[in-house]
Amino acid sequence: MAVALLKWFDTRQRDDIAWRGERDPYAILVAEVMAQQTRVETAAPYHRRFMGRFPDVWTLADAEEDEVLGLWEGLGYYARARNLRRAARRVVSEYGGRIPRAVSELRTLPGVGPYTAGAVASVAFGLPEPAVDGNARRVLSRLGDLETASPSDLDRAARALLATVPERPGDVNQALMDLGSAVCTPRRPRCGACPLSSRCLALRRGTIGERPPRSRRARSPERVEAAAVVRRGRRVLVLRRPSDGLLGGLWDFPSVRLPSPTPPAPALTRVLREGFGLDCSVGEEIRVLRHAFSHFRLRLTVHQARWRSGEVTNPRPHRWIGRGEFGDLAFPAYLRRLVDEEISPRNAR
Ligand code: SF4
C-alpha cells in the first residue's frame, strides 16, 4: 500500500511548501512547529522569513523573545514561538547545538509533542516513526475503517505502513498528510482519484462518512472585553502581556473583561483609574473586534481615551509609543489590523 502511496506522492511534489525536500533538522523542526495549527501554505512565507533571520539553532537561541514574536506575528498560537526559542536554547545547552534524533529526546523539548517529534525523526533522520496529524488521522482511520481511531490504533496503523517501505519513512508520513489534505478530504473525498482506493476498507464498507469518529464539541463561550487606546499627546500606551499566559509576550492596550451587557466606557474609565493609576476621559468607540481562540470567542470593543493625569501603576511592562514605533512591537493578529488602519497607518510612518 505504501508503494502506491509513494508513487502518487512522487508525481505531485508540491513546490508551495518551502521546506519540502529539506533535510536540515532545525529547519524541519521550525517548519513542523509552524504548521502545527496553521495551513502549510500560510506558514510557508513565515518559514522563509524566520529561516532568513534565524538560519540555525544558535541564532534562535541567542534571539530576544520580542524579535521572535515579531516574526511570528499573524501566525497565532504564540506559545509555539516562545517554546521554539526555549527548545533552541535547550538544544544548544544540552545537545551542543545538534537537534536530537530519538523521539524520546525530541519529546523533552518545549512544545514538541508526538506529531512534531515523529515528523522531525522521520523526515530529518529517516527513522520509522509515525507523524499523525489531522489529515493522516483521517486517511488511516478510513483505510483501516477504524471505529475509535484512538492514538494507539493510529500509531499501529502508521507503523505498519512505514514498515513496508523502510527506506522512506519521512516521505510516507508526508504522503499520508498530503493525501488527506488533497484527496481524502473531510466532506467529499475524491476516492476515484485515490491511489489507495482498492485497499480502503471504509470505501468498501460504505462507512467513509463515519470515519474518523467525530468528537462533539460544544460551541465555545463568548468573552466580552473592552480596551482603551489611551493617548497622551502624540503617544499611545501599550502593555506587554505576561510571557506565560495567552498571547504571552505580545503587546496590547489596557482592557477590562465585561460581564455582558455592560457599557464599556464607564468600565474602562474605572479600570484605567483603579488598575492603571490613570485619570482618562474615555471617548468614542473605534471598532468592535472579534477573534476565535481555541477555547473561547473574544468580542472586544475598542475605545479612544485621552490621558488627563497620573502615571502607570500596573505591574505589566508598559511603554508610551509614537506612531513609528508600532511596527517594532508584536501585537496579536486581531489588534494588528486595528493598529495599521486606525492608530498607526503604515503609509503615515
Ligand atoms: S478511498 Fe476514499 S476514503 Fe479511502 S483513503 Fe482514499 S480518498 Fe480516503
Side-chain angles (χ1 to χ4, degrees), residues 18 28 49 65 93 117 121 134 138 153 174 197-198 223 239 287 324 326 330 334-335 340 345:
I28 291 166
R49 276 198 299 274
E65 186 177 273
S93 65
R138 187 166 55 255
D153 288 345
Q174 291 185 74
S197 57
S198 63
R223 181 186 290 185
L239 297 114
R287 201 177 275 192
F326 276 90
Y334 62 89
L335 283 180
D340 288 346

Side-chain angles (χ1 to χ4, degrees), residues 275-290:
F276 292 86
L278 300 177
D279 178 26
C280 300
S281 62
V282 175
E284 63 183 25
E285 176 185 305
I286 307 175
R287 201 177 275 192
V288 177
L289 304 172
R290 294 174 192 276

